[in-house]
Amino acid sequence: MGASPSTTSTMQSFDSLAKKYYSNPEVVKCVESYEMAGTPMILEDGSNVHGTVGGGDNKGIPVFDFIPFKMISEGGTLILQEEGPRSKEIIKVFIPAGFKNGSICNDMQPYDSNISESGLSSFWHLLAITDKPSYCNAVTIRKYQLDIIRDKKDLLHKAMGILLKGSESDIGSLKWLRNLSGNVTLEDGSEVSVKPTEELLSESCQDNFETFDTEEDITDDILSNIGYFYHAFDQATVFSGHMHAVAIDYKTKCFDLLEAKAKESGVDKNIPVDEIIEYVEAGKLDELKLQAIMKN
């Protein structure tokens, strides 16, 4: 199986993105107000914080904090909703969705980077959020919230197992994906095949397609190499503290394209969760926050 992606510079990336966030005291104050009291993240000039809704009744609120999440059987992509044993927070785990034209089903994001570069980062890609808003992003995590992080990791792994072990009729399962066929219609009216192919995978993972394209049960192999990541500050599309779980051996080209785009800005897109825990435990975010408060 393929190796895990290099994390040589990810800690430096997180440090740079955290410092960038805390360099703007107004944004820090606005975000903290939302985290503590639910006040929409709207700045004094009327603009909204990155990764929140830009207008309407929900302006300044991250979309994950108000949209309904339905189970797959109800037309959604929710896999699991469960109380974290450490944090006692209700945690929801789901397949990234919200994609209309070109979605295979239930508005789930596509696997094919030709349909959307922001599609699924792996053949198996899940997100975890808390039912009620807690921290907005990895750069705003407080030490006392680290149990939420650990619970999210555990429940993402549990949900990944549920997803993989599903039947041929269970959306997103190993058996379902192996038997997937047909076409989807794009916005321009053209049709594209949804059958999984080697070309959809990252070049570093393409050698694994031969194993995927069999009847062998590879569930345990996949579960043994799951990557847990955050997209820090302005690298996050939605500013809601959602954690990503990605089957590393089956990363798609979407993963590579988003990483390449981030690197153009001098940072990494996917920051390993364990590195962020280490950073928070060391008190580095507390120091940056204090500096931001003193500037305000």
Side-chain angles (χ1 to χ4, degrees):
M1 293 291 183
S4 298
S6 171
T7 58
T8 305
S9 64
T10 49
M11 184 69 91
Q12 290 124 330
S13 287
F14 185 69
D15 184 61
S16 296
L17 288 163
K19 288 175 178 175
K20 182 179 180 182
Y21 169 75
Y22 284 102
S23 69
N24 190 327
E26 185 190 357
V27 169
V28 173
K29 183 179 179 180
C30 188
V31 171
E32 185 171 70
S33 179
Y34 177 76
E35 291 175 335
M36 302 302 290
T39 307
M41 289 178 270
I42 302 173
L43 303 173
E44 290 181 3
D45 65 1
S47 63
N48 55 293
V49 170
H50 169 86
T52 67
V53 175
D57 293 341
N58 292 305
K59 181 177 179 178
I61 300 175
V63 66
F64 289 163
D65 288 355
F66 63 85
I67 60 169
F69 285 88
K70 299 178 180 178
M71 298 297 292
I72 286 178
S73 60
E74 300 171 331
T77 60
L78 188 66
I79 306 295
L80 176 151
Q81 180 171 296
E82 190 172 309
E83 183 179 272
R86 304 175 187 86
S87 65
K88 306 305 178 184
E89 293 275 356
I90 300 297
I91 293 170
K92 297 177 179 179
V93 180
F94 57 97
I95 302 170
F99 193 80
K100 302 295 183 181
N101 296 305
S103 176
I104 298 167
C105 57
N106 294 21
D107 291 344
M108 66 185 287
Q109 292 286 337
Y111 302 97
D112 190 343
S113 62
N114 294 307
I115 297 176
S116 173
E117 291 186 0
S118 300
L120 296 175
S121 290
S122 171
F123 277 180
W124 297 281
H125 178 183
L126 295 176
L127 302 181
I129 62 171
T130 50
D131 184 45
K132 296 179 180 179
S134 51
Y135 55 93
C136 285
N137 188 267
V139 298
T140 72
I141 295 169
R142 300 168 179 83
K143 286 183 182 180
Y144 72 83
Q145 294 172 318
L146 287 175
D147 278 346
I148 300 176
I149 313 303
R150 298 182 178 102
D151 282 342
K152 281 182 177 178
K153 276 190 69 176
D154 289 349
L155 291 176
L156 277 165
H157 193 271
K158 179 179 179 178
M160 192 68 81
I162 293 170
L163 180 66
L164 285 164
K165 295 171 185 176
S167 69
E168 290 182 14
S169 61
D170 290 322
I171 294 170
S173 72
L174 173 59
K175 291 179 179 178
W176 177 84
L177 193 53
R178 279 174 165 169
N179 288 282
L180 189 60
S181 62
N183 299 323
V184 293
T185 303
L186 304 185
E187 193 171 6
D188 62 5
S190 62
E191 292 192 347
V192 178
S193 171
V194 297
K195 182 178 176 62
T197 64
E198 180 180 323
E199 287 70 31
L200 298 184
L201 294 174
S202 167
E203 288 188 13
S204 65
C205 298
Q206 289 183 359
D207 287 346
N208 299 327
F209 188 80
E210 185 176 350
T211 304
F212 166 80
D213 199 27
T214 65
E215 295 185 0
E216 180 184 349
D217 184 1
I218 57 174
T219 303
D220 289 341
D221 288 337
I222 296 170
L223 287 172
S224 69
N225 196 14
I226 302 297
Y228 302 93
F229 304 103
Y230 275 113
H231 298 164
F233 187 34
D234 55 10
Q235 292 302 310
T237 305
V238 181
F239 207 60
S240 67
H242 54 290
M243 185 186 294
H244 295 254
V246 173
I248 294 297
D249 294 323
Y250 292 93
K251 298 193 314 298
T252 66
K253 287 179 178 173
C254 296
F255 185 99
D256 295 341
L257 288 167
L258 292 177
E259 275 294 350
K261 187 175 181 179
K263 288 184 186 303
E264 290 176 3
S265 302
V267 295
D268 291 90
K269 179 77 171 179
N270 292 280
I271 312 292
V273 169
D274 286 347
E275 292 190 8
I276 293 172
I277 291 175
E278 180 183 342
Y279 193 100
V280 175
E281 286 183 329
K284 294 181 180 180
L285 284 183
D286 291 337
E287 293 173 10
L288 292 173
K289 181 180 176 181
L290 180 60
Q291 291 171 16
I293 292 172
M294 293 175 65
K295 288 178 184 177
N296 196 17

